[in-house]
Amino acid sequence: MSKSLVKNSFFNVIYQLLNVLFPLVTAPYIARILLPDNVGKVAIAQNWAQYFIVFAALGIPTYAIREIAKSKHNKAELNHTFTELFSINFISTTISVVAYLIMIFSFNNFRQNIMLYLAVGLGILFNYITIDWLYQGLEDYGYIAIRSFIVKLLSLLALLILVRSKNDYVLYALISACAIGCNNIFNILHLSQIGVKFNFNHLSFSHHIKPIIIFFTNSITVKLYTLINVTLLGILSTDAAAAFYTNSDKVVRLIVATISAIGGVLLPRFSVYAQRGEKKKCADVASKVFHILFFLFVPTCLGLILMSKEIVLILFGSQYTASIPTLQIMSLLLLSLGFNGLFGTILLAFGHERENLLCPIAGALTCLIFNFALIPTLAQNGAAIACVVAESVVTGVAVFFSSRIIKLHFRADTIAKTIIAAIGMGAIVMVFKLLIHNLVLCLLASVGFGMLCYIVLSWCMHNPELYQLLTIIRRKQKR
């Protein structure tokens, strides 16, 4: 592996870790200071603004990374591509800003808390100078990681100094939006350091339109069913219900992102085999990744269900006890959402973009139906059930289409060994919950001894996924 690739991998890991750790540091503080109602108010406002940010972005971030990577060795072509994409983004952002302002000043629900909606709306305004895709396309992960650390540290200090009471929720929203703005400002200022310039001569936009529309369609479909839960909680339930749901959602998605990264180490090899048309090797890699993810997600899911009380009370405080059953329900996302990346990779690697788009469409429709049916009576728990069912549908559809491309191998004996070891781990966790009443000690002991029990049982049953995982870890250490 080249030194540059090792360096990029290192900084990318640092960047991903910052994205995981920062919410874990800020969420407990904000949850206790603002309390559920105001946390929910901000979550709902940010959720509304996110719709307009998605439209402003138009799917450009994903498409632009590919285009920048293609032209990065030709400086003139790079400047042209950058300027063209920046210009398209400028037009779409202008439309979004105008539409957002019309919305918040036209409806009484938004006008009643206009300062909050103006604060979160800054996130749309800052999209004018969103060019993270440039640095990702150039693989400048060192700069991205350092910039991210500085901005996150500054925003953390601002939160601790300025957000001191439950009435400071607008300030919290403003700091969150300005953190995004600071990232973008740093990006613009750093352009001269990497030699990228605006070049408005002989611009051509037509060849970008079709791929951007395709990427945007996929992006808006995925975002629809991830945003709709909070939107409908704000309409059909209470602000506090939105807070209970979003806190649970954050915990689960952080875990999914962390574990998926481990299995994802094998996926680049999958893409190489797919390009060569070697379907048998693709099936072997896909099956291997599936079993590793299953080996990791099953015990984590069970552990999260059993330890939800301790996690919620430690992270968010006693005001959020209503989040406990919500987190338990959403723990089941690990068994569906966790596999989406794998099956999505299979569809995209073999050029099945249409089928890949059908997956989130099926999820969005399911999510809407279940949300309208369940939120009025079950509030945040109804939204959690809807989310789990929708993600299960997405994964199910992706598995169906993937199985038509390659033959997936699911080993019943390995799956059985994983489930048995997880049940043994669960028994140990239950013993510690009965014996230890201190929340922090109970969580630490349960996680530590639960993991040890799971590993020992897997080793005793000669679960091949344990050895496969150890092999991956050794390889990464050598690199």
Side-chain angles (χ1 to χ4, degrees):
M1 181 180 284
S2 69
K3 288 184 179 179
S4 62
L5 191 54
V6 171
K7 181 181 174 183
N8 281 335
S9 299
F10 170 76
F11 280 116
N12 196 31
V13 168
I14 296 296
Y15 175 64
Q16 297 300 334
L17 280 175
L18 286 172
N19 288 338
V20 170
L21 293 174
F22 183 71
L24 290 179
V25 173
T26 56
Y29 178 77
I30 292 302
R32 286 168 170 80
I33 296 295
L34 297 186
L35 302 180
D37 282 338
N38 289 335
V39 169
K41 279 188 178 74
V42 176
I44 291 167
Q46 288 174 332
N47 194 73
W48 277 108
Q50 194 63 37
Y51 286 107
F52 293 87
I53 292 172
V54 171
F55 177 80
L58 276 185
I60 289 172
T62 310
Y63 167 70
I65 292 171
R66 187 184 74 182
E67 294 304 298
I68 293 297
K70 284 181 183 177
S71 59
K72 66 181 180 180
H73 299 298
N74 184 323
K75 188 63 71 174
E77 187 181 341
L78 174 64
N79 290 338
H80 253 101
T81 301
F82 168 67
T83 307
E84 287 167 355
L85 293 172
F86 186 91
S87 300
I88 295 169
N89 180 76
F90 187 92
I91 295 166
S92 62
T93 301
T94 301
I95 296 169
S96 284
V97 168
V98 172
Y100 181 76
L101 289 173
I102 290 171
M103 183 190 78
I104 63 173
F105 283 106
S106 298
F107 297 95
N108 191 48
N109 285 346
F110 301 116
R111 287 202 306 270
Q112 286 175 352
N113 215 337
I114 194 66
M115 294 308 296
L116 173 61
Y117 281 91
L118 286 173
V120 298
L122 282 176
I124 310 169
L125 201 64
F126 284 129
N127 194 72
Y128 275 117
I129 51 173
T130 294
I131 54 170
D132 254 7
W133 41 266
L134 172 67
Y135 295 97
Q136 289 171 328
L138 295 174
E139 297 182 283
D140 195 355
Y141 291 108
Y143 161 74
I144 293 171
I146 293 167
R147 179 215 65 193
S148 181
F149 174 76
I150 292 169
V151 171
K152 281 177 166 53
L153 183 61
L154 290 173
S155 59
L156 176 60
L157 291 173
L159 286 174
L160 295 174
I161 294 168
L162 299 175
V163 180
R164 306 304 296 271
S165 78
K166 66 177 184 179
N167 296 320
D168 292 333
Y169 63 93
V170 175
L171 263 177
Y172 164 59
L174 186 62
I175 291 168
S176 299
C178 287
I180 297 169
C182 284
N183 277 323
N184 295 347
I185 291 167
F186 274 125
N187 285 346
I188 293 294
L189 295 176
H190 192 65
L191 282 177
S192 60
Q193 300 295 315
I194 59 173
V196 175
K197 300 176 182 178
F198 289 101
N199 183 352
F200 293 96
N201 295 322
H202 311 295
L203 296 182
S204 174
F205 302 109
S206 57
H207 62 289
H208 294 301
I209 301 303
K210 184 179 177 180
I212 283 176
I213 290 172
I214 293 170
F215 278 100
F216 171 67
T217 304
N218 192 57
S219 173
I220 194 66
T221 309
V222 171
K223 281 290 184 181
L224 177 63
Y225 77 89
T226 56
L227 294 174
I228 199 69
N229 296 323
V230 177
T231 303
L232 292 178
L233 278 171
I235 295 170
L236 302 174
S237 191
T238 64
D239 293 337
F244 300 142
Y245 175 84
T246 52
N247 282 340
S248 301
D249 187 62
K250 283 177 188 174
V251 172
V252 171
R253 290 183 189 275
L254 285 175
I255 293 171
V256 169
T258 305
I259 295 178
S260 295
I262 297 171
V265 170
L266 296 172
L267 289 178
R269 195 185 310 166
F270 179 91
S271 299
V272 173
Y273 293 147
Q275 287 175 356
R276 296 174 185 168
E278 299 179 25
K279 289 193 174 185
K280 187 179 183 305
K281 287 185 177 180
C282 285
D284 291 341
V285 172
S287 299
K288 191 179 291 184
V289 173
F290 172 82
H291 286 101
I292 289 173
L293 291 177
F294 190 82
F295 179 78
L296 293 169
F297 280 129
V298 168
T300 307
C301 173
L302 181 58
L304 197 54
I305 291 170
L306 295 175
M307 300 306 298
S308 287
K309 177 183 175 183
E310 288 75 11
I311 292 169
V312 167
L313 294 179
I314 290 169
L315 282 181
F316 307 116
S318 58
Q319 296 279 347
Y320 293 82
T321 52
S323 288
I324 296 170
T326 312
L327 181 56
Q328 289 174 325
I329 295 166
M330 295 196 72
S331 299
L332 298 172
L333 279 176
L334 293 171
L335 302 178
S336 55
L337 181 63
F339 297 101
N340 283 355
L342 167 61
F343 296 110
T345 300
I346 294 172
L347 294 175
L348 290 175
F350 285 94
H352 289 250
E353 286 85 1
R354 179 178 169 274
E355 286 82 355
N356 190 55
L357 182 59
L358 289 174
C359 296
I361 290 174
L365 292 172
T366 305
C367 192
L368 280 169
I369 293 166
F370 275 80
N371 269 319
F372 277 112
L374 299 176
I375 286 178
T377 53
L378 298 176
Q380 71 275 4
N381 294 330
I385 293 169
C387 186
V388 170
V389 174
E391 290 291 358
S392 299
V393 168
V394 171
T395 304
V397 174
V399 170
F400 171 74
F401 285 129
S402 298
S403 63
R404 295 170 67 180
I405 301 169
I406 58 175
K407 189 175 181 180
L408 299 168
H409 310 290
F410 302 115
R411 299 192 299 273
D413 59 330
T414 302
I415 291 172
K417 289 174 182 178
T418 296
I419 293 171
I420 292 168
I423 292 170
M425 179 208 74
I428 291 292
V429 170
M430 289 303 297
V431 170
F432 280 108
K433 281 175 71 71
L434 290 171
L435 296 177
I436 303 174
H437 301 292
N438 180 281
L439 293 173
V440 176
L441 286 178
C442 181
L443 181 61
L444 292 174
S446 298
V447 171
F449 285 98
M451 284 176 61
L452 181 62
C453 174
Y454 183 69
I455 291 169
V456 170
L457 287 173
S458 297
W459 179 74
C460 290
M461 291 186 290
H462 302 288
N463 191 328
E465 302 317 315
L466 175 63
Y467 303 107
Q468 179 68 42
L469 191 60
L470 291 173
T471 302
I472 291 173
I473 293 169
R474 284 196 204 101
R475 282 176 185 167
K476 286 187 77 67
Q477 285 176 340
K478 286 179 183 178
R479 290 173 181 175

